[in-house]
């Protein structure tokens, strides 16, 4: 479901909330914004719609509290992708023209693409001939297949739902402001920490159905059709040089692989001896990326973690971008005793 719309609907309900609960909810959203979630894919066909965050926010919805503007602002911040926004505000965007496809009374246009080697943002506008179909609609999902220029299925749909053979992640945002006039806007963000999509130059997008959710997840209308697109990802997009960071000092318990900032994100890869550093297996909750002065914390957005001999191997994505152009950064890991382990990095010359 479209969590942003559901949350806002629930938060508008008139009920009181104890101050203690309010503080806990605010703290929880603060933790999420600072990078609490990790996409732990276990199977070759990972179910994209099963995110850890869904269970947390679902619990908040069950409470049905009127939480107030402070938490609402936190939710809105959480649902936006700073990396995509940063790239777009710096002109790193490909405008799409004359690609509207219509079938079964619905026109779909790809508005723009923000392509990166490990994150791709795509925005759409849908127009329904029959605006009444959108009465009481609270969410929308495409069923689709995406293949790259090497004919690999990056994201696909089968009888069980959406899946990703390569552990790519998927995030949706939708805008229902103009639904009464038959218009819906939505953004699709594909993320990858396994270096699967980094060489993609173009992709085919086949939308096979549109699911409309009405008021609750149990009320769904599915509209079948064929909306097909061939998308060149870097046609007219200005080339942006990535930034590589290197360690300023070695740590015998950390085998540093790489830290690279690109147009929309930064990926940190390293092996960590969790026992020697006294860090438990829940390291994603204990590790932050910040600037040299520790004044800005960059949000964790996606990641992979696997066990290796003597520790864990991580590939974590954050919303720091090359447009932030930082000469020095810092990774801070909090150990089980609450002490900070600080790792200093500098831009490679």
């Amino acid at each position: 479901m479209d969590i942003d719309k559901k949350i806002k609907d629930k938060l508008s309900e008139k009920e009181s909330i104890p101050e203690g609960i309010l503080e806990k909810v605010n703290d929880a959203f603060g933790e999420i914004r600072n990078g609490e979630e990790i996409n732990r894919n276990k199977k070759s066909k990972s179910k994209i719609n099963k995110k850890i965050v869904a269970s947390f926010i679902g619990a908040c919805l069950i409470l049905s509290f009127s939480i107030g503007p402070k938490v609402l602002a936190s939710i809105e911040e959480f649902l936006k992708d700073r990396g995509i926004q940063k790239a777009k505000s710096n002109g790193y965007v490909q405008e799409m023209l004359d690609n509207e496809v219509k079938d079964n009374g619905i026109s779909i246009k790809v508005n723009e693409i923000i392509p990166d080697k490990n994150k791709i943002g795509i925005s759409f506008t849908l127009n329904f001939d029959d605006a009444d179909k959108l009465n009481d609609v609270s969410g929308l999902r495409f069923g689709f297949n995406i293949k790259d220029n090497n004919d690999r299925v990056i994201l696909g749909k089968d009888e069980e739902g959406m899946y990703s053979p390569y552990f790519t992640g998927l995030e949706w945002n939708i805008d229902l402001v103009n639904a009464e006039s038959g218009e819906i806007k939505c953004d699709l963000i594909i993320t990858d920490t396994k270096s699967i999509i980094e060489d993609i130059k173009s992709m085919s997008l086949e939308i096979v159905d549109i699911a409309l959710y009405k008021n609750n997840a149990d009320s769904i209308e599915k509209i079948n059709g064929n909306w097909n697109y061939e998308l060149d990802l870097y046609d007219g997009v200005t080339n942006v040089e990535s930034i590589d960071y290197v360690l300023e000092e070695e740590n015998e318990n950390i085998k540093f692989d790489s830290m690279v900032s690109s147009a929309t994100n930064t990926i940190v890869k390293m092996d960590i001896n969790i026992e020697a550093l006294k860090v438990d297996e829940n390291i994603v909750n204990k590790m932050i990326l910040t600037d040299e002065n520790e004044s800005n914390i960059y949000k964790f957005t996606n990641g992979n973690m696997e066990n290796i001999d003597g520790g864990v191997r991580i590939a974590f994505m954050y919303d720091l971008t090359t447009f932030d152009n930082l000469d020095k950064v810092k990774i801070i890991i909090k150990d089980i005793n609450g002490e900070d382990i600080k790792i200093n990095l500098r831009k490679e010359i």
Side-chain angles (χ1 to χ4, degrees):
M1 290 303 298
D2 297 287
I3 293 174
D4 52 345
K5 177 67 163 56
K6 284 291 185 183
I7 290 173
K8 289 179 181 180
D9 288 346
K10 284 292 182 182
L11 297 185
S12 66
E13 295 180 2
K14 302 292 185 181
E15 295 186 34
S16 62
I17 175 172
E19 185 63 27
I21 298 295
L22 175 59
E23 291 177 1
K24 291 181 184 296
V25 175
N26 276 311
D27 290 344
F29 277 108
E31 289 176 359
I32 289 179
R33 295 197 307 276
N34 290 338
E36 285 292 304
E37 308 308 330
I38 183 170
N39 182 11
R40 294 185 177 90
N41 292 297
K42 297 296 185 182
K43 299 180 180 178
S44 59
K45 285 189 176 183
S46 55
K47 296 306 177 185
I48 295 169
N49 60 346
K50 294 182 179 178
K51 293 185 177 179
I52 296 171
V53 66
S55 61
F56 173 80
I57 295 182
C60 291
L61 294 183
I62 293 171
L63 294 175
S64 298
F65 288 131
S66 176
I67 294 177
K70 182 179 179 183
V71 175
L72 185 57
S74 299
I75 295 167
E76 290 173 341
E77 179 182 347
F78 167 69
L79 292 167
K80 294 176 182 176
D81 189 299
R82 177 187 181 273
I84 292 289
Q85 291 179 336
K86 191 79 174 178
K88 184 175 179 179
S89 66
N90 281 274
Y92 188 83
V93 58
Q94 178 175 327
E95 303 287 345
M96 306 297 293
L97 302 172
D98 302 325
N99 61 27
E100 187 172 81
V101 178
K102 185 173 183 177
D103 192 19
N104 210 357
I106 304 172
S107 299
I108 304 178
K109 183 181 186 306
V110 179
N111 300 317
E112 58 191 21
I113 302 175
I114 299 177
D116 201 359
K117 61 183 180 180
N118 41 45
K119 181 185 289 187
I120 300 172
I122 309 173
S123 70
F124 304 85
T125 298
L126 293 78
N127 280 287
F128 290 69
D129 288 349
D130 183 3
D132 290 340
K133 281 187 174 294
L134 301 183
N135 290 343
D136 301 321
V137 164
S138 58
L140 173 148
R141 284 290 181 272
F142 291 149
F144 59 82
N145 297 291
I146 293 180
K147 290 185 178 181
D148 67 4
N149 47 282
N150 296 314
D151 205 36
R152 296 180 303 174
V153 176
I154 303 302
L155 292 164
K157 182 180 179 183
D158 61 15
E159 63 279 0
E160 296 181 2
M162 294 297 301
Y163 69 92
S164 169
Y166 300 104
F167 302 99
T168 47
L170 179 63
E171 177 185 341
W172 289 90
N173 290 307
I174 77 164
D175 180 354
L176 294 167
V177 171
N178 296 318
E180 289 185 0
S181 63
E183 179 185 274
I184 295 180
K185 292 184 178 180
C186 65
D187 297 327
L188 169 68
I189 300 174
I190 303 167
T191 58
D192 165 40
T193 57
K194 290 279 192 178
S195 301
I196 301 300
I197 68 175
E198 62 180 1
D199 295 323
I200 294 180
K201 304 302 180 185
S202 64
M203 62 186 189
S204 62
L205 169 63
E206 176 192 22
I207 301 173
V208 296
D209 61 52
I210 300 169
L212 300 177
Y213 296 83
K214 298 191 176 183
N215 291 331
N216 59 70
D218 298 323
S219 177
I220 303 173
E221 177 183 356
K222 186 170 290 187
I223 303 168
N224 296 313
N226 290 288
W227 300 269
N228 300 328
Y229 305 86
E230 297 295 329
L231 304 175
D232 292 322
L233 298 186
Y234 294 95
D235 184 15
V237 175
T238 303
N239 183 48
V240 175
E241 293 292 332
S242 59
I243 298 176
D244 290 86
Y245 291 88
V246 295
L247 291 176
E248 288 198 322
E249 66 280 330
E250 297 291 334
N251 185 313
E252 64 180 0
N253 296 312
I254 294 175
K255 183 182 177 183
F256 182 79
D257 182 356
S258 62
M259 174 174 164
V260 182
S261 291
S262 62
T264 66
N265 66 92
T266 292
I267 292 185
V268 178
K269 295 182 179 181
M270 57 187 179
D271 297 348
I272 300 174
N273 186 330
I274 58 175
E275 183 176 349
L277 289 180
K278 297 181 180 179
V279 176
D280 62 22
E281 67 279 1
N282 198 22
I283 188 173
V284 64
N285 300 328
K286 309 286 180 64
M287 176 172 158
I288 65 171
L289 176 65
T290 182
D291 57 16
E292 180 183 11
N293 299 319
E294 302 179 23
S295 56
N296 294 303
I297 294 177
Y298 298 95
K299 190 178 76 174
F300 173 92
T301 59
N302 192 12
N304 284 286
M305 180 171 66
E306 58 184 290
N307 292 323
I308 58 173
D309 289 341
V312 293
R313 175 165 295 155
I314 66 169
F316 288 174
M317 180 183 290
Y318 297 87
D319 63 8
L320 172 70
T321 81
T322 189
F323 296 111
D324 293 298
N325 196 28
L326 298 182
D327 290 328
K328 293 186 177 183
V329 295
K330 189 178 295 186
I331 295 172
I332 302 175
I333 303 173
K334 193 172 292 294
D335 68 18
I336 59 175
N337 297 318
E339 300 295 326
D340 288 340
I341 303 163
K342 297 187 178 183
I343 305 168
N344 298 305
L345 302 102
R346 58 173 172 80
K347 185 189 297 186
E348 186 175 39
I349 300 175

